[in-house]
Amino acid sequence: MHASLHFITTPPQSSSTLKTPSKTHIPTTQNAAACKIIINPMRKTLPRETQKPLKPPLPLPKPKPVVEPVPEVVDPTRPYYPSHLNPLQKLAASVLDKLEAVVIEPLEKKQKLPKTIDPAVQISGNFAPVGECPVQLGLEVLGQIPDCLRGVYVRNGANPMFTPLGGHHLFDGDGMIHALTLGVGNKASYSCRYTRTSRLKQEAKLGRPMFPKPIGELHGHSGLARLGLFLARAAIGLVDGSQGTGVANAGLVYFNGRLLAMSEDDLPYNVKIKGDGDLETIGRFDFNGGLDRPMIAHPKVDPATGELHSLSYDLVNKPHLKYYKFDTCGRKSREVGITLEQLTMVHDFAITENYAVIPDQQVVFKLSEMMKGGSPVIYDPEKMSRFGILPKNDEEGLEIQWINVPDCFCFHLCNAWEETSDSGDPIIVVIGSCMDPPDSVFNEHNTDPLRVELSEIRMNLRSGESSRRVIVSGLNLEVGVVNKQLLGQKTRYLYMAIAEPWPKCSGIAKVDLQTGSVTKYMYGTGRFGGEPFYVPKLRSGSVGNNGVVQGGNDDEGYLMGFVRDEREEKSEMVILDASSMKQVGSVRLPARVPYGFHGTFISEQDLKEQALS
């Protein structure tokens, strides 16, 4: 789960049968609108082929790195400025540093931070960052690793390089990928690495944070001051935002031989999985010039065609929302602008056989809220939630149909498919987790308990009517997954993280969408995990690791995910049989793995087809 603001600078000169109540929305007019959402830098940047664990220079007295650094040559008693700056630029940089210390930091300290951006809450316990870990071989394996799990499981997360100066949201941390390699004979190895974003490399070289934290720091007048300070530093050449300001900490997708890390505030970053299981950042990836805007954290690989579908929302440039499609060779085949009435957070979307299903919901960006001291990401109760049904082959976006779905905010969508009603009407079915209060991830609510309810949304493309019903009540279920080989098709089973006590996840729920039954696997007292990932036992010979299932059920596979035992202070990978929901194996990890966001599995065969650069 992840959402972020992003900013731009110019470069410096030089299917269910359940009988549960549902809500039906009948539009007053036919709605078919036309197109128009968890520290170690170094003194110099490492070339890709020689990347080693990041080691920071000694920082300034304020702020201190989260992890004690290895001493470097840099003098910690005075600011470190790049050698390319001339004396006038260095003078301007020192003035800006003074301004930060005398004006901005005291202003931030006067603010009472809500829990949603309080570093003492957001990066405490197992949400706290860790250092990089080079490849560790010969891990202890309990049980048997199934043959279909030969490959690498990778999971992304936020891991701040430096102690926050002011507010900090979990989504603000620098991206770190944890990789568990599983091989023949129960062999397992582990490593974790920062994704070397442009932002991280610059801050690593300077030895301190220089880029604003979009969610945690951009509040009120101090937030405007932080943004102004960054723009001023960019203007004198101290930092460069032209090569992206994102953290690449949320989503992961393996497409066309590349592992891409995303955080929807920048282009994706291509990360190579090396032969020994280590990770190497190749750099920002623009699909050979096909993408010049941020990509959301949840692109979709169509299992039937192998194409990649994605969205991009941009708070600065219009149109603020675009739909993209890339063919199996990574070439852009579709770019469609979509007009929205408000700047809307679009963190996730869905695909069916013929459509892209695009949410336009009630969590929006209002930069004016910063002037009032609040978060620019807010819930707008006056806005009508709706979904845009865009044909995949629509080149101009003129055939998009908007259908209202009142009082609906799904942070994540699990799956969607097409059906035909008894009267012959085309129906779009969407399965997602509806969150209430909708902006709970971003703003503090002391009176309203958080509810995240797995729901079914049905939209009639002929009448424009919609209905929504809760599939599982009384249980917070988030970040659900299906068999990726059935994405966009009707599925029976869904695998969800039991998000209790929020924001920790105490187990995995297998939901039968046909009967409504729920089978739980609980990690145990003091043990918590995150998003599960489903790997099928059977794979066809089609595209990548997203082939079409040929027969079999969509619970004939395995679930995997990292688990932390907070009492024993141990981390492990847990493997479940999806059919029985029984544990069949686990791998003891050599280091603490913080709670994080989203992951994926790359098979041994797909790794052989990995792009060379």
Side-chain angles (χ1 to χ4, degrees), residues 365-386:
F365 296 102
K366 287 193 175 180
L367 302 183
S368 60
E369 291 297 314
M370 289 178 60
M371 299 298 296
K372 303 176 184 178
S375 168
V377 186
I378 67 166
Y379 163 57
D380 183 357
E382 301 301 319
K383 181 182 178 181
M384 171 63 74
S385 290
R386 60 180 188 165

Side-chain angles (χ1 to χ4, degrees), residues 88-291:
L88 186 59
Q89 289 173 311
K90 291 180 180 180
L91 176 61
S94 66
V95 171
L96 292 175
D97 289 344
K98 191 69 173 179
L99 177 66
E100 178 181 27
V102 174
V103 178
I104 299 178
E105 290 184 13
L107 186 62
E108 290 174 328
K109 290 178 180 178
K110 291 180 181 179
Q111 296 177 328
K112 182 179 179 180
L113 298 176
K115 293 180 180 178
T116 51
I117 59 169
D118 185 349
V121 176
Q122 293 291 303
I123 52 176
S124 63
N126 197 47
F127 290 99
V130 295
E132 289 190 316
C133 180
V135 177
Q136 303 294 305
L137 303 172
L139 304 186
E140 179 183 2
V141 176
L142 303 179
Q144 187 66 33
I145 299 174
D147 289 344
C148 65
L149 296 187
R150 292 177 186 169
V152 180
Y153 171 75
V154 284
R155 199 222 61 199
N156 212 345
N159 201 83
M161 183 193 308
F162 292 104
T163 300
L165 294 169
H168 179 90
H169 190 280
L170 182 62
F171 295 168
D172 288 329
D174 300 287
M176 175 176 277
I177 299 176
H178 301 260
L180 182 67
T181 302
L182 304 174
V184 180
N186 259 18
K187 293 181 179 179
S189 65
Y190 165 83
S191 69
C192 69
R193 297 288 187 188
Y194 278 109
T195 298
R196 266 76 168 170
T197 62
S198 172
R199 173 189 186 126
L200 180 137
K201 289 192 294 184
Q202 291 183 63
E203 293 187 335
K205 190 172 183 179
L206 293 168
R208 54 195 168 128
M210 302 294 280
F211 288 70
K213 298 182 184 298
I215 303 177
E217 289 183 343
L218 298 187
H219 287 240
H221 295 104
S222 65
L224 293 173
R226 275 279 165 209
L227 184 56
L229 177 65
F230 171 76
L231 295 175
R233 283 171 166 165
I236 65 171
L238 183 60
V239 293
D240 179 11
S242 67
Q243 297 304 307
T245 61
V247 289
N249 66 11
L252 292 172
V253 67
Y254 189 77
F255 172 69
N256 190 33
R258 289 181 171 87
L259 176 64
L260 302 179
M262 299 145 295
S263 60
E264 68 200 40
D265 51 3
D266 204 341
L267 296 178
Y269 273 81
N270 181 196
V271 179
K272 180 181 179 180
I273 301 174
K274 301 170 71 173
D276 61 355
D278 209 346
L279 301 168
E280 174 188 358
T281 303
I282 303 300
R284 293 171 93 212
F285 185 69
D286 65 357
F287 291 87
N288 299 314
L291 183 69

